[in-house]
Amino acid sequence: MSSTQDLKTIDRGAIDIVYKDKGSKFIGFAKHVANAEEAMAFFDLLRNQHHAANHCCYAYRLGPQGLEVRANDDGEPTHSAGTPILVQIQSFDLTNTAVAVIRYFGGTKLGVGGLVKAYKATAQLTLADCSFKLEVVYQKAQLYFNYRDIGTAMHWLKQEQCLIIEQHIDQKCRVQFNLPAQQLRHAQEFWNSQPEILFEIFKADGY
């Protein structure tokens, strides 16, 4: 990815990007997605809109490190369609991104090599038509503190631009929040110097 703190993803997507080869028409689409469910809904919508098409091939890449991936050839020879699309998403260094290519068969077979070239070219043209943005990666954490320290805790949360998820305010207080990941080390150092307030980080699977 572009850095350990930011995700490069699509800001403005692309639709109806056309590539033609020997009568076959390839139409590319790309958009930002937050999860696999959004990606699959996007692909299902395109299938319904292009129900007369021969193939709807696609790929998506998700997550902070871009490790959640899926590619589908939708009846084309294995790795001739979905994989070239996925490779283009990776070559643009994108995540949280879905790309689909609709194919209308033109009567002339392209062969595996020709298909790889066509799907790669369509995906490349489609992504080149998009604009991109960097999304902040957040780390979930929480603070435990006595009520007398609420001013210190809340001032820090506001100063560090944390997004509060849940809070319980009583004599013993607990606040869960999302912290920009690039500020994590600074947060650990700061709270290590404030032993009266406990700072805890959520792991990927909870704690």
Side-chain angles (χ1 to χ4, degrees), residues 58-164:
Y58 63 79
Y60 65 69
R61 189 183 189 205
L62 304 169
Q65 303 300 322
L67 298 180
E68 184 181 348
V69 299
R70 182 173 180 181
N72 190 298
D73 297 309
D74 193 34
E76 297 282 34
T78 302
H79 300 309
S80 68
T83 299
I85 296 171
L86 177 59
V87 169
Q88 286 306 300
I89 297 174
Q90 293 169 329
S91 70
F92 276 76
D93 196 27
L94 296 169
T95 190
N96 292 354
T97 295
V99 177
V101 177
I102 300 291
R103 182 190 182 191
Y104 288 89
F105 182 55
T108 301
K109 293 184 177 181
L110 301 181
V112 172
L115 289 172
V116 170
K117 177 183 176 183
Y119 281 103
K120 173 185 176 181
T122 308
Q124 185 178 47
L125 290 170
T126 301
L127 289 171
D129 192 62
C130 297
S131 64
F132 307 110
K133 62 182 178 180
L134 294 179
E135 290 184 335
V136 176
V137 177
Y138 286 95
Q139 170 66 56
K140 187 177 180 183
Q142 64 184 1
L143 295 176
Y144 285 102
F145 52 92
N146 293 317
Y147 185 78
R148 66 174 181 268
D149 297 313
I150 191 170
T152 300
M154 291 305 183
H155 175 75
W156 181 86
L157 289 165
K158 181 178 181 180
Q159 180 178 293
E160 297 299 317
Q161 300 180 327
C162 298
L163 306 176
I164 295 177

Side-chain angles (χ1 to χ4, degrees), residues 64 139-140 201-207:
Q139 170 66 56
K140 187 177 180 183
I201 301 168
F202 283 73
K203 306 300 182 185
D205 56 353
Y207 261 115

